[in-house]
Structure formats: structure tokens, C-alpha cells
């Protein structure tokens, strides 16, 4: 009798599991990546990896999934927190598994569909490849891709979600990376006060000091922080002193071209008011400190961008007090509350 009950229970469990997979089918519902009127064209090749509802949901689950790390406790979101434009709040450089301390400040995750190179030095030349770096980095998630795949393969949620998201339904590295990209390319931040002002929406206006800041910014900063993405995607050396304990050579590490020494990717300034601390090593904790640095804190590290050469032979961008104050007021208009609280990108 007892044996029979066990057999029946066993049967229910088996049927229960497999019906889970039988229910999961690939019936793609396509989602469109936003193309705001004031943005350049999307650079991510969507034909290669079109975003679907199921792929996006899978990518989001993976982004918040501890199993992508060696100790099952460090998801991508550990260092990329939504309220801070997906940066690692309160950390100059990020720390990961087993308390490992990284060497760089976590970058925001926003508007990546409009970028072709990733990381502070551009070491990742395709968004679909970027996550391999944090997953396998000893200091970040410390895991191997094959272990991640093995863990996901034994999880019934992922068994059915991969089936829904991809035609071949395979839980493999290609689909893992494609799903993460589908989630990340949807993360478009384009609804700050500034955006609404520039697109003439909802009668949004800027105050006098914000407008003064915008004008000074266009004059003195927009060569590099260009377009409404606020970056020209170039690598520049902006005269930061070398941190001897890190000696981060920036773009030089990628191609060992001497001309690239201490160059870093020009960061977007969207949501900059919430994404501090600033620069590749998080050395400045406020925007005021950044502006004081541009005005009077540059170091000749040997390869500083010519834009910063002043007539008197010193390096920097001269900024009077009111200019600093108004630039900060303008930068604050780049905060996009809708993006920072958008539930499509939130864990729960
Ligand atoms: C331990 C902290 C940490 C974890 C975990 C982490 N990241 Fe990052 N992320 C960083 C840091 C630091 C950088 C900048 C790295 C550099 O430039 O060398 C970065 C950069 C990025 C970038 C580049 C953004 C740009 O504008 O170029 C993307 C995309 C990204 N991470 C996605 C992810 C994904 C996806 C995961 C999970 C698979 C992840 N990160 C896990 C800290 C982390
Ligand atoms: C020659 C190009 C160039 C010019 C001009 C320039 N910047 Fe930058 N900016 C950069 C680069 C490159 C970085 C990143 C440097 C690093 O971390 O090593 C940066 C970083 C920043 C950051 C930190 C952002 C972050 O997420 O960490 C802020 C804020 C900033 N710049 C504001 C300004 C303002 C305001 C001006 C005008 C007064 C200006 N920049 C002029 C190239 C430039």
C-alpha cells in the first residue's frame, strides 16, 4: 500500500516536471528597442538577435541571478543597481566574489544599443561578448561559463524559459549571452527633464541657471561629451594623475599602442547625478570635485588631450564659479527618474 502511494507520488512528480516543459513553446512576441528622436541610430545588430518578450524576461532573470557567480551570491545587479543608473553605489572600484576588489568603477548600464564598444577601455567589442568578462573574472563573479550552463540546465524555470525564448531552446552560452543582450538593449534612458525640453514635450522648460549651464557645457565640454548621448565614443586622456597602486593604463592595455596610454572611454553623462563616484577609478565623489579638477586639477601624465592645453601652458578648462554652479545645475537635468524606477528593469 505504502509502496503504491510512493509510486503514484513519483508519477505525479515526473508528470509535473515534464508538463512544465511541454507547456513551454517558442512563440516569439517581438519587442521594439526605443529610438528616441534626439538619439543617433541604434548600432546593435537587432537582426542577429531580435528582442522577444520571452528573451527579455529571460535576460532579466539572468541579470538578477546569483548562479552566474562562483558562490551563487553575486548577480550582475550586485554591481549594477537600478536606482543608481545600474552602477555600484558607494564603491569607488567594485568588489565581487570572496570580497575580491576590482580595479575600476562600475559603469552605468543604459543606452548600450547605441554603443559598439564596452568597458572603460573598450576591451569588449560586442555587447554579446561583454558578460563573459565579469562572469569569468576572479575579482567579479569568478565562475566558468560551463559551470553556469550546468547550473541553469538543472533549473526547471530556465529549462522552460530558454525553450520559450529561443527556437532551438538550448541552454548554452550563445543563448545565455543573447538573452542578456536582449535585456540590456531595452534599457534606454531618454526621458530626463533635458530630453523633454529638447524634444519640446509636456511644456518642459529649463531654468535660467540650467540654460546657462547648458550653454557653457556646449562651449567647453561637448567636443567629447557630444550628441544627446553625451559621448563621442572616443578614448581620451583627460589628465587624471596616475594612481600608483593601480597604474591603470586604459586603452593602452587593449592594443599596446603608445598613443593610447591613459586614455579611457568618454562616459555618457546621462543620470550622472546619481551614478557617482566619478572617473574610471571613482576618485571623485561629487560633480563639484569633477569641475574643480577640470579647472585646476589636471596632471601632465604625458599624453593629455590637446583640447586641454591653455595658452599659458597649463592644462585644463577654465571655469568660473558661476560656470561650475550652472554646469552642475544642467547636469542634474539629465536624471531620468522614469528609467531609474522603470519596473520592466526591476528585480520584482
Ligand atoms: C563585481 C562587480 C560587477 C559585476 C558582478 C558585474 N559587473 Fe558589469 N561592470 C563592472 C565594472 C567595474 C565595469 C567597468 C569595467 C572595466 O571598464 O574594466 C563594468 C562594465 C560593464 C558593462 C560595460 C558598460 C559600458 O558602457 O561600456 C556592461 C555592459 C556590464 N558591465 C554588464 C554586466 C553584466 C551583464 C554582468 C553580469 C553577467 C555584470 N556586468 C556583472 C562591475 C561589475
Ligand atoms: C577631451 C575630452 C573631454 C572634455 C573636453 C571633457 N571631458 Fe569629461 N571626461 C572625458 C573622459 C575621457 C572621461 C573619463 C576619464 C576617466 O575616467 O579616466 C570624462 C569624465 C567625466 C565625468 C565623470 C563621469 C563618470 O561617469 O565617471 C564628468 C562628470 C565629466 N567628464 C564632465 C565634463 C565636463 C562638465 C566637461 C566640461 C567642463 C568635460 N567633462 C570635458 C573626456 C572629456
Amino acid at each position: 500500500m505504502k509502496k503504491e502511494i510512493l509510486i503514484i507520488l513519483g508519477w505525479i512528480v515526473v508528470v509535473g516536471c515534464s508538463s512544465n516543459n511541454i507547456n513551454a513553446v517558442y512563440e516569439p512576441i517581438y519587442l521594439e528597442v526605443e529610438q528616441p528622436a534626439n538619439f543617433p541610430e541604434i548600432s546593435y545588430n537587432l537582426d542577429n538577435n531580435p528582442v522577444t518578450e520571452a528573451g527579455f524576461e529571460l535576460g532579466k532573470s539572468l541579470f538578477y541571478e546569483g548562479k552566474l557567480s562562483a558562490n551563487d551570491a553575486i548577480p550582475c545587479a550586485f554591481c549594477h543597481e537600478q536606482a543608481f543608473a545600474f552602477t555600484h553605489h558607494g564603491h569607488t572600484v567594485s568588489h565581487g566574489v570572496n570580497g575580491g576588489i576590482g580595479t575600476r568603477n562600475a559603469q552605468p548600464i543604459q543606452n548600450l544599443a547605441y554603443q559598439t564598444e564596452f568597458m572603460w577601455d573598450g576591451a569588449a567589442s560586442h555587447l554579446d561578448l561583454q558578460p563573459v568578462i565579469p562572469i569569468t573574472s576572479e575579482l567579479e563573479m569568478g565562475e566558468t561559463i560551463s559551470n553556469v550552463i550546468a547550473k541553469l540546465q538543472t533549473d526547471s524555470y530556465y529549462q522552460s524559459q530558454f525553450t520559450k525564448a529561443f527556437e532551438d531552446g538550448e541552454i548554452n552560452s550563445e543563448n545565455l549571452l543573447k538573452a542578456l543582450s536582449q535585456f540590456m538593449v531595452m534599457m534606454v534612458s531618454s526621458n530626463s527633464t533635458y530630453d523633454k525640453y529638447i524634444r519640446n514635450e509636456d511644456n518642459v522648460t529649463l531654468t535660467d541657471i540650467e540654460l546657462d549651464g547648458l550653454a557653457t557645457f556646449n562651449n567647453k565640454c561637448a567636443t567629447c561629451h557630444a550628441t544627446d548621448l553625451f559621448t563621442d565614443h572616443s578614448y581620451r586622456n583627460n589628465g587624471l594623475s596616475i594612481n600608483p597602486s593601480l597604474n591603470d593604463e586604459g586603452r593602452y592595455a587593449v592594443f599596446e599602442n603608445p598613443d593610447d596610454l591613459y586614455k579611457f572611454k568618454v562616459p555618457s553623462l546621462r543620470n550622472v547625478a546619481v551614478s557617482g563616484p566619478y572617473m574610471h577609478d571613482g576618485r571623485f565623489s561629487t560633480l563639484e570635485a569633477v569641475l574643480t579638477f577640470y579647472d585646476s586639477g589636471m596632471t601632465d601624465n604625458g599624453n593629455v588631450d590637446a583640447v586641454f592645453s591653455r595658452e599659458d601652458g597649463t592644462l585644463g578648462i577654465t571655469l568660473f564659479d558661476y560656470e561650475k554652479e550652472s554646469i552642475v545645475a544642467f547636469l542634474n537635468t539629465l536624471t531620468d527618474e522614469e528609467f531609474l524606477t522603470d519596473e520592466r528593469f526591476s528585480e520584482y
Side-chain angles (χ1 to χ4, degrees), residues 153-172:
Q153 279 171 342
T154 60
D155 183 318
S156 62
Y157 164 75
Y158 287 110
Q159 287 164 4
S160 73
Q161 200 60 28
F162 273 81
T163 306
K164 289 183 197 160
F166 295 101
E167 199 160 12
D168 64 14
E170 300 282 334
I171 302 185
N172 59 23

Side-chain angles (χ1 to χ4, degrees), residues 105 108 120 217 220-225 234-238 240 262-269 272 275 277-281 287 290-291 294 305 307-308 317 319 327 331:
N105 184 243
W120 280 105
F217 182 87
K220 300 193 171 182
C221 317
T223 20
C224 301
H225 298 286
S234 66
Y235 301 87
R236 308 277 193 137
N237 178 332
N238 70 343
L240 292 166
Y262 307 124
K263 286 186 183 172
F264 292 87
K265 188 164 73 180
V266 177
S268 168
L269 301 178
V272 74
S275 70
Y278 304 108
M279 304 299 174
H280 67 270
D281 57 2
L287 290 170
V290 170
L291 293 179
Y294 274 113
D305 202 284
V307 169
F308 299 117
I317 300 176
L319 295 168
I327 289 176
L331 292 175

Side-chain angles (χ1 to χ4, degrees), residues 208-276:
D208 287 346
I209 188 168
E210 290 163 353
L211 286 169
D212 288 343
L214 171 58
T216 310
F217 182 87
N218 280 335
N219 233 334
K220 300 193 171 182
C221 317
T223 20
C224 301
H225 298 286
T227 78
D228 276 359
L229 292 178
F230 298 94
T231 170
D232 64 355
H233 303 295
S234 66
Y235 301 87
R236 308 277 193 137
N237 178 332
N238 70 343
L240 292 166
S241 59
I242 313 303
N243 180 336
S245 62
L246 297 172
N247 191 28
D248 190 334
E249 294 171 325
R251 183 76 173 156
Y252 176 78
V254 181
F255 295 119
E256 302 198 349
N257 173 354
D259 186 49
D260 285 342
L261 206 55
Y262 307 124
K263 286 186 183 172
F264 292 87
K265 188 164 73 180
V266 177
S268 168
L269 301 178
R270 290 189 162 270
N271 293 306
V272 74
V274 301
S275 70

Side-chain angles (χ1 to χ4, degrees), residues 128 132 145-146 149 153 162 170-180:
D128 296 2
V132 175
I145 299 287
S146 56
I149 299 297
Q153 279 171 342
F162 273 81
E170 300 282 334
I171 302 185
N172 59 23
S173 56
E174 181 185 341
N175 288 342
L176 166 84
L177 296 169
K178 281 188 164 170
L180 280 168

